[in-house]
Amino acid sequence: LFGLMGVVNVFIGERPVFLREARDRTYTTLAFYISKVVVDMTMQCFFGAAIVLICYFIVGLNVDHAYNPFYTILTMMLVANVGSSVGFIISAKFSSINTALAFAPATIMPQVLLSGFMIDIESMIPPFNFLSYGIFFKYAWQAAVFNEYDCKETLECDDLQEIMQWVNQGSKTCNNSPCKFCCDDDELVKIV
């Protein structure tokens, strides 16, 4: 998502050179655009994968299956390329670097606010919860959460009174938990 800040000034900075070379028929607009996108897509994929490979194991994310880090890498690559695409659109739209750099955060904040990351989608007022379906960061956030918390057990926590008794008791362990969903000693949260 933040990959757009790196490409916001791509077209703006090269516009005079591009116009001169296009007028001289050195190359077409399509060739220029495709070369810029291919180079940027390669860089976004490389740096996205590098960040995940460095941080994934240091942070201690889910390594229950061999495919978990690869799904995270794929998600990061897709988000970086979507952000880069939005940056290309902003760069093509505005003729001033200052205007484009001022407009870029205005595209990032709605993505974060309407994705369900900061505000629960069900608690949003009706026009905004409907808009959240068009926010690509929502789907990236969901992919990251599903990749991290992939417990295969079913949720058996229907009896709220039984759960509250377990929460209020002195020693809580996963063995005497009424919920057998993602419960092991590392994931057990001590509620006071």
Side-chain angles (χ1 to χ4, degrees):
L1 182 62
F2 293 101
L4 73 90
M5 294 303 285
V7 298
V8 162
N9 60 356
V10 167
F11 294 135
I12 298 169
E14 297 180 2
R15 182 171 283 152
V17 175
F18 167 72
L19 290 175
R20 184 189 65 213
E21 291 178 353
R23 191 176 9 171
D24 293 341
R25 297 180 191 258
T26 307
Y27 46 78
T28 63
T29 305
L30 182 64
F32 175 77
Y33 178 74
I34 288 175
S35 66
K36 285 291 182 190
V37 169
V38 167
V39 168
D40 185 68
M41 184 171 38
T42 306
M43 296 301 287
Q44 294 290 343
C45 288
F46 173 75
F47 288 119
I51 288 170
V52 171
L53 286 174
I54 291 169
C55 297
Y56 194 87
F57 302 102
I58 293 173
V59 172
L61 295 176
N62 188 0
V63 289
D64 290 343
H65 305 285
Y67 58 79
N68 288 110
F70 296 110
Y71 283 166
T72 304
I73 290 171
L74 179 64
T75 302
M76 183 67 148
M77 286 179 181
L78 291 173
V79 169
N81 282 308
V82 170
S84 175
S85 300
V86 173
F88 279 133
I89 292 169
I90 293 171
S91 179
K93 176 68 178 158
F94 296 105
S95 59
S96 167
I97 292 177
N98 292 334
T99 308
L101 289 174
F103 186 76
T107 61
I108 294 173
M109 283 312 295
Q111 295 284 327
V112 175
L113 290 174
L114 296 176
S115 67
F117 178 69
M118 297 181 76
I119 302 169
D120 188 29
I121 293 173
E122 283 81 25
S123 65
M124 293 181 197
I125 58 176
F128 293 111
N129 60 7
F130 178 73
L131 287 174
S132 71
Y133 290 105
I135 303 295
F136 63 87
F137 187 66
K138 169 189 174 183
Y139 301 106
W141 174 245
Q142 286 178 348
V145 168
F146 289 148
N147 187 45
E148 181 63 22
Y149 304 106
D150 64 346
C151 298
K152 304 299 182 207
E153 297 182 20
T154 59
L155 183 62
E156 299 172 359
C157 295
D158 293 336
D159 189 7
L160 185 60
Q161 185 176 7
E162 185 181 357
I163 295 168
M164 292 312 296
Q165 285 176 346
W166 180 77
V167 167
N168 293 329
Q169 75 180 4
S171 64
K172 293 178 272 304
T173 65
C174 289
N175 294 334
N176 64 3
S177 169
C179 301
K180 302 299 180 195
F181 182 73
C182 295
C183 188
D184 60 17
D185 291 334
D186 294 332
E187 296 172 341
L188 181 65
V189 177
K190 302 208 183 295
I191 303 171
V192 180

PDB file of all heavy atoms in Angstrom, residues 21-43:
ATOM      1  N   GLU A  21      11.022  12.958 -26.389  1.00  0.00           N
ATOM      2  CA  GLU A  21      11.353  11.718 -27.092  1.00  0.00           C
ATOM      3  C   GLU A  21      10.149  11.133 -27.818  1.00  0.00           C
ATOM      4  O   GLU A  21      10.303  10.476 -28.846  1.00  0.00           O
ATOM      5  CB  GLU A  21      11.947  10.718 -26.110  1.00  0.00           C
ATOM      6  CG  GLU A  21      13.320  11.144 -25.630  1.00  0.00           C
ATOM      7  CD  GLU A  21      13.920  10.203 -24.622  1.00  0.00           C
ATOM      8  OE1 GLU A  21      13.226   9.263 -24.178  1.00  0.00           O
ATOM      9  OE2 GLU A  21      15.091  10.404 -24.274  1.00  0.00           O
ATOM     10  N   ALA A  22       8.937  11.351 -27.288  1.00  0.00           N
ATOM     11  CA  ALA A  22       7.731  10.891 -27.998  1.00  0.00           C
ATOM     12  C   ALA A  22       7.508  11.724 -29.255  1.00  0.00           C
ATOM     13  O   ALA A  22       7.059  11.196 -30.282  1.00  0.00           O
ATOM     14  CB  ALA A  22       6.524  10.978 -27.080  1.00  0.00           C
ATOM     15  N   ARG A  23       7.816  13.017 -29.173  1.00  0.00           N
ATOM     16  CA  ARG A  23       7.685  13.885 -30.358  1.00  0.00           C
ATOM     17  C   ARG A  23       8.694  13.473 -31.423  1.00  0.00           C
ATOM     18  O   ARG A  23       8.412  13.560 -32.618  1.00  0.00           O
ATOM     19  CB  ARG A  23       7.906  15.337 -29.942  1.00  0.00           C
ATOM     20  CG  ARG A  23       7.550  16.353 -30.969  1.00  0.00           C
ATOM     21  CD  ARG A  23       7.719  17.727 -30.437  1.00  0.00           C
ATOM     22  NE  ARG A  23       8.385  17.576 -29.139  1.00  0.00           N
ATOM     23  CZ  ARG A  23       8.879  18.528 -28.392  1.00  0.00           C
ATOM     24  NH1 ARG A  23       8.795  19.734 -28.766  1.00  0.00           N
ATOM     25  NH2 ARG A  23       9.467  18.300 -27.251  1.00  0.00           N
ATOM     26  N   ASP A  24       9.885  13.025 -31.002  1.00  0.00           N
ATOM     27  CA  ASP A  24      10.893  12.552 -31.951  1.00  0.00           C
ATOM     28  C   ASP A  24      10.641  11.116 -32.399  1.00  0.00           C
ATOM     29  O   ASP A  24      11.443  10.564 -33.161  1.00  0.00           O
ATOM     30  CB  ASP A  24      12.285  12.638 -31.314  1.00  0.00           C
ATOM     31  CG  ASP A  24      12.724  14.066 -31.068  1.00  0.00           C
ATOM     32  OD1 ASP A  24      12.154  14.985 -31.692  1.00  0.00           O
ATOM     33  OD2 ASP A  24      13.627  14.258 -30.224  1.00  0.00           O
ATOM     34  N   ARG A  25       9.569  10.509 -31.894  1.00  0.00           N
ATOM     35  CA  ARG A  25       9.177   9.137 -32.226  1.00  0.00           C
ATOM     36  C   ARG A  25      10.258   8.118 -31.869  1.00  0.00           C
ATOM     37  O   ARG A  25      10.480   7.147 -32.593  1.00  0.00           O
ATOM     38  CB  ARG A  25       8.770   9.009 -33.683  1.00  0.00           C
ATOM     39  CG  ARG A  25       7.557   9.833 -34.028  1.00  0.00           C
ATOM     40  CD  ARG A  25       7.195   9.662 -35.491  1.00  0.00           C
ATOM     41  NE  ARG A  25       6.196  10.633 -35.874  1.00  0.00           N
ATOM     42  CZ  ARG A  25       4.921  10.357 -36.009  1.00  0.00           C
ATOM     43  NH1 ARG A  25       4.488   9.148 -35.796  1.00  0.00           N
ATOM     44  NH2 ARG A  25       4.084  11.288 -36.375  1.00  0.00           N
ATOM     45  N   THR A  26      10.900   8.339 -30.738  1.00  0.00           N
ATOM     46  CA  THR A  26      11.895   7.381 -30.255  1.00  0.00           C
ATOM     47  C   THR A  26      11.207   6.114 -29.768  1.00  0.00           C
ATOM     48  O   THR A  26      11.703   5.008 -29.991  1.00  0.00           O
ATOM     49  CB  THR A  26      12.712   7.999 -29.098  1.00  0.00           C
ATOM     50  OG1 THR A  26      13.239   9.251 -29.542  1.00  0.00           O
ATOM     51  CG2 THR A  26      13.845   7.110 -28.687  1.00  0.00           C
ATOM     52  N   TYR A  27      10.078   6.273 -29.105  1.00  0.00           N
ATOM     53  CA  TYR A  27       9.280   5.148 -28.646  1.00  0.00           C
ATOM     54  C   TYR A  27       7.850   5.632 -28.458  1.00  0.00           C
ATOM     55  O   TYR A  27       7.583   6.831 -28.432  1.00  0.00           O
ATOM     56  CB  TYR A  27       9.820   4.541 -27.343  1.00  0.00           C
ATOM     57  CG  TYR A  27      10.174   5.550 -26.290  1.00  0.00           C
ATOM     58  CD1 TYR A  27       9.198   6.153 -25.517  1.00  0.00           C
ATOM     59  CD2 TYR A  27      11.495   5.900 -26.071  1.00  0.00           C
ATOM     60  CE1 TYR A  27       9.524   7.083 -24.562  1.00  0.00           C
ATOM     61  CE2 TYR A  27      11.829   6.831 -25.105  1.00  0.00           C
ATOM     62  CZ  TYR A  27      10.848   7.417 -24.358  1.00  0.00           C
ATOM     63  OH  TYR A  27      11.174   8.335 -23.405  1.00  0.00           O
ATOM     64  N   THR A  28       6.945   4.664 -28.315  1.00  0.00           N
ATOM     65  CA  THR A  28       5.535   5.007 -28.158  1.00  0.00           C
ATOM     66  C   THR A  28       5.205   5.169 -26.671  1.00  0.00           C
ATOM     67  O   THR A  28       5.974   4.769 -25.795  1.00  0.00           O
ATOM     68  CB  THR A  28       4.640   3.904 -28.752  1.00  0.00           C
ATOM     69  OG1 THR A  28       4.845   2.700 -28.018  1.00  0.00           O
ATOM     70  CG2 THR A  28       4.949   3.686 -30.223  1.00  0.00           C
ATOM     71  N   THR A  29       4.042   5.720 -26.423  1.00  0.00           N
ATOM     72  CA  THR A  29       3.575   5.884 -25.045  1.00  0.00           C
ATOM     73  C   THR A  29       3.386   4.526 -24.383  1.00  0.00           C
ATOM     74  O   THR A  29       3.729   4.345 -23.210  1.00  0.00           O
ATOM     75  CB  THR A  29       2.254   6.671 -25.030  1.00  0.00           C
ATOM     76  OG1 THR A  29       2.444   7.894 -25.724  1.00  0.00           O
ATOM     77  CG2 THR A  29       1.795   6.943 -23.627  1.00  0.00           C
ATOM     78  N   LEU A  30       2.857   3.565 -25.111  1.00  0.00           N
ATOM     79  CA  LEU A  30       2.638   2.228 -24.573  1.00  0.00           C
ATOM     80  C   LEU A  30       3.958   1.570 -24.182  1.00  0.00           C
ATOM     81  O   LEU A  30       4.056   0.951 -23.109  1.00  0.00           O
ATOM     82  CB  LEU A  30       1.887   1.365 -25.586  1.00  0.00           C
ATOM     83  CG  LEU A  30       1.552  -0.054 -25.130  1.00  0.00           C
ATOM     84  CD1 LEU A  30       0.602  -0.013 -23.939  1.00  0.00           C
ATOM     85  CD2 LEU A  30       0.948  -0.848 -26.274  1.00  0.00           C
ATOM     86  N   ALA A  31       4.977   1.693 -25.011  1.00  0.00           N
ATOM     87  CA  ALA A  31       6.272   1.091 -24.694  1.00  0.00           C
ATOM     88  C   ALA A  31       6.876   1.733 -23.441  1.00  0.00           C
ATOM     89  O   ALA A  31       7.444   1.038 -22.584  1.00  0.00           O
ATOM     90  CB  ALA A  31       7.229   1.241 -25.869  1.00  0.00           C
ATOM     91  N   PHE A  32       6.756   3.049 -23.326  1.00  0.00           N
ATOM     92  CA  PHE A  32       7.265   3.744 -22.143  1.00  0.00           C
ATOM     93  C   PHE A  32       6.537   3.287 -20.888  1.00  0.00           C
ATOM     94  O   PHE A  32       7.164   2.969 -19.871  1.00  0.00           O
ATOM     95  CB  PHE A  32       7.098   5.263 -22.329  1.00  0.00           C
ATOM     96  CG  PHE A  32       7.485   6.064 -21.133  1.00  0.00           C
ATOM     97  CD1 PHE A  32       8.815   6.283 -20.826  1.00  0.00           C
ATOM     98  CD2 PHE A  32       6.514   6.618 -20.315  1.00  0.00           C
ATOM     99  CE1 PHE A  32       9.174   7.036 -19.719  1.00  0.00           C
ATOM    100  CE2 PHE A  32       6.862   7.365 -19.205  1.00  0.00           C
ATOM    101  CZ  PHE A  32       8.199   7.577 -18.907  1.00  0.00           C
ATOM    102  N   TYR A  33       5.209   3.215 -20.964  1.00  0.00           N
ATOM    103  CA  TYR A  33       4.411   2.824 -19.810  1.00  0.00           C
ATOM    104  C   TYR A  33       4.702   1.383 -19.391  1.00  0.00           C
ATOM    105  O   TYR A  33       4.900   1.092 -18.213  1.00  0.00           O
ATOM    106  CB  TYR A  33       2.923   3.010 -20.101  1.00  0.00           C
ATOM    107  CG  TYR A  33       2.045   2.584 -18.965  1.00  0.00           C
ATOM    108  CD1 TYR A  33       1.934   3.362 -17.823  1.00  0.00           C
ATOM    109  CD2 TYR A  33       1.341   1.377 -19.012  1.00  0.00           C
ATOM    110  CE1 TYR A  33       1.140   2.969 -16.757  1.00  0.00           C
ATOM    111  CE2 TYR A  33       0.548   0.970 -17.956  1.00  0.00           C
ATOM    112  CZ  TYR A  33       0.448   1.773 -16.840  1.00  0.00           C
ATOM    113  OH  TYR A  33      -0.322   1.380 -15.792  1.00  0.00           O
ATOM    114  N   ILE A  34       4.728   0.468 -20.343  1.00  0.00           N
ATOM    115  CA  ILE A  34       4.965  -0.939 -20.026  1.00  0.00           C
ATOM    116  C   ILE A  34       6.359  -1.128 -19.430  1.00  0.00           C
ATOM    117  O   ILE A  34       6.534  -1.880 -18.465  1.00  0.00           O
ATOM    118  CB  ILE A  34       4.753  -1.826 -21.271  1.00  0.00           C
ATOM    119  CG1 ILE A  34       3.261  -1.899 -21.588  1.00  0.00           C
ATOM    120  CG2 ILE A  34       5.326  -3.224 -21.058  1.00  0.00           C
ATOM    121  CD1 ILE A  34       2.926  -2.644 -22.848  1.00  0.00           C
ATOM    122  N   SER A  35       7.361  -0.437 -19.965  1.00  0.00           N
ATOM    123  CA  SER A  35       8.709  -0.574 -19.407  1.00  0.00           C
ATOM    124  C   SER A  35       8.754  -0.057 -17.970  1.00  0.00           C
ATOM    125  O   SER A  35       9.388  -0.671 -17.109  1.00  0.00           O
ATOM    126  CB  SER A  35       9.726   0.167 -20.273  1.00  0.00           C
ATOM    127  OG  SER A  35       9.491   1.566 -20.244  1.00  0.00           O
ATOM    128  N   LYS A  36       8.083   1.046 -17.693  1.00  0.00           N
ATOM    129  CA  LYS A  36       8.047   1.575 -16.323  1.00  0.00           C
ATOM    130  C   LYS A  36       7.339   0.603 -15.380  1.00  0.00           C
ATOM    131  O   LYS A  36       7.795   0.364 -14.266  1.00  0.00           O
ATOM    132  CB  LYS A  36       7.329   2.926 -16.280  1.00  0.00           C
ATOM    133  CG  LYS A  36       8.133   4.054 -16.815  1.00  0.00           C
ATOM    134  CD  LYS A  36       9.271   4.326 -15.877  1.00  0.00           C
ATOM    135  CE  LYS A  36      10.089   5.479 -16.343  1.00  0.00           C
ATOM    136  NZ  LYS A  36      11.325   5.616 -15.583  1.00  0.00           N
ATOM    137  N   VAL A  37       6.220   0.055 -15.811  1.00  0.00           N
ATOM    138  CA  VAL A  37       5.446  -0.850 -14.953  1.00  0.00           C
ATOM    139  C   VAL A  37       6.192  -2.154 -14.709  1.00  0.00           C
ATOM    140  O   VAL A  37       6.215  -2.654 -13.576  1.00  0.00           O
ATOM    141  CB  VAL A  37       4.049  -1.103 -15.563  1.00  0.00           C
ATOM    142  CG1 VAL A  37       3.333  -2.227 -14.854  1.00  0.00           C
ATOM    143  CG2 VAL A  37       3.218   0.164 -15.516  1.00  0.00           C
ATOM    144  N   VAL A  38       6.809  -2.713 -15.723  1.00  0.00           N
ATOM    145  CA  VAL A  38       7.526  -3.983 -15.556  1.00  0.00           C
ATOM    146  C   VAL A  38       8.712  -3.817 -14.612  1.00  0.00           C
ATOM    147  O   VAL A  38       8.930  -4.646 -13.725  1.00  0.00           O
ATOM    148  CB  VAL A  38       7.969  -4.545 -16.930  1.00  0.00           C
ATOM    149  CG1 VAL A  38       8.974  -5.674 -16.774  1.00  0.00           C
ATOM    150  CG2 VAL A  38       6.768  -5.006 -17.720  1.00  0.00           C
ATOM    151  N   VAL A  39       9.459  -2.749 -14.783  1.00  0.00           N
ATOM    152  CA  VAL A  39      10.599  -2.510 -13.891  1.00  0.00           C
ATOM    153  C   VAL A  39      10.117  -2.288 -12.464  1.00  0.00           C
ATOM    154  O   VAL A  39      10.667  -2.850 -11.510  1.00  0.00           O
ATOM    155  CB  VAL A  39      11.437  -1.312 -14.396  1.00  0.00           C
ATOM    156  CG1 VAL A  39      12.435  -0.864 -13.347  1.00  0.00           C
ATOM    157  CG2 VAL A  39      12.147  -1.679 -15.681  1.00  0.00           C
ATOM    158  N   ASP A  40       9.066  -1.488 -12.289  1.00  0.00           N
ATOM    159  CA  ASP A  40       8.574  -1.216 -10.943  1.00  0.00           C
ATOM    160  C   ASP A  40       7.947  -2.460 -10.318  1.00  0.00           C
ATOM    161  O   ASP A  40       8.125  -2.700  -9.131  1.00  0.00           O
ATOM    162  CB  ASP A  40       7.556  -0.074 -10.960  1.00  0.00           C
ATOM    163  CG  ASP A  40       7.128   0.288  -9.565  1.00  0.00           C
ATOM    164  OD1 ASP A  40       7.963   0.825  -8.808  1.00  0.00           O
ATOM    165  OD2 ASP A  40       5.971   0.001  -9.215  1.00  0.00           O
ATOM    166  N   MET A  41       7.238  -3.255 -11.105  1.00  0.00           N
ATOM    167  CA  MET A  41       6.615  -4.463 -10.573  1.00  0.00           C
ATOM    168  C   MET A  41       7.690  -5.437 -10.084  1.00  0.00           C
ATOM    169  O   MET A  41       7.550  -6.045  -9.023  1.00  0.00           O
ATOM    170  CB  MET A  41       5.746  -5.131 -11.643  1.00  0.00           C
ATOM    171  CG  MET A  41       4.988  -6.328 -11.134  1.00  0.00           C
ATOM    172  SD  MET A  41       3.754  -7.006 -12.255  1.00  0.00           S
ATOM    173  CE  MET A  41       4.476  -6.875 -13.840  1.00  0.00           C
ATOM    174  N   THR A  42       8.777  -5.553 -10.826  1.00  0.00           N
ATOM    175  CA  THR A  42       9.871  -6.421 -10.407  1.00  0.00           C
ATOM    176  C   THR A  42      10.477  -5.935  -9.094  1.00  0.00           C
ATOM    177  O   THR A  42      10.727  -6.732  -8.181  1.00  0.00           O
ATOM    178  CB  THR A  42      10.963  -6.461 -11.502  1.00  0.00           C
ATOM    179  OG1 THR A  42      10.354  -6.833 -12.739  1.00  0.00           O
ATOM    180  CG2 THR A  42      12.058  -7.439 -11.149  1.00  0.00           C
ATOM    181  N   MET A  43      10.677  -4.636  -8.983  1.00  0.00           N
ATOM    182  CA  MET A  43      11.260  -4.081  -7.754  1.00  0.00           C
ATOM    183  C   MET A  43      10.296  -4.235  -6.569  1.00  0.00           C
ATOM    184  O   MET A  43      10.726  -4.578  -5.462  1.00  0.00           O
ATOM    185  CB  MET A  43      11.613  -2.601  -7.958  1.00  0.00           C
ATOM    186  CG  MET A  43      12.685  -2.372  -9.004  1.00  0.00           C
ATOM    187  SD  MET A  43      14.228  -3.218  -8.619  1.00  0.00           S
ATOM    188  CE  MET A  43      14.821  -2.210  -7.309  1.00  0.00           C
TER     189      MET A  43
END
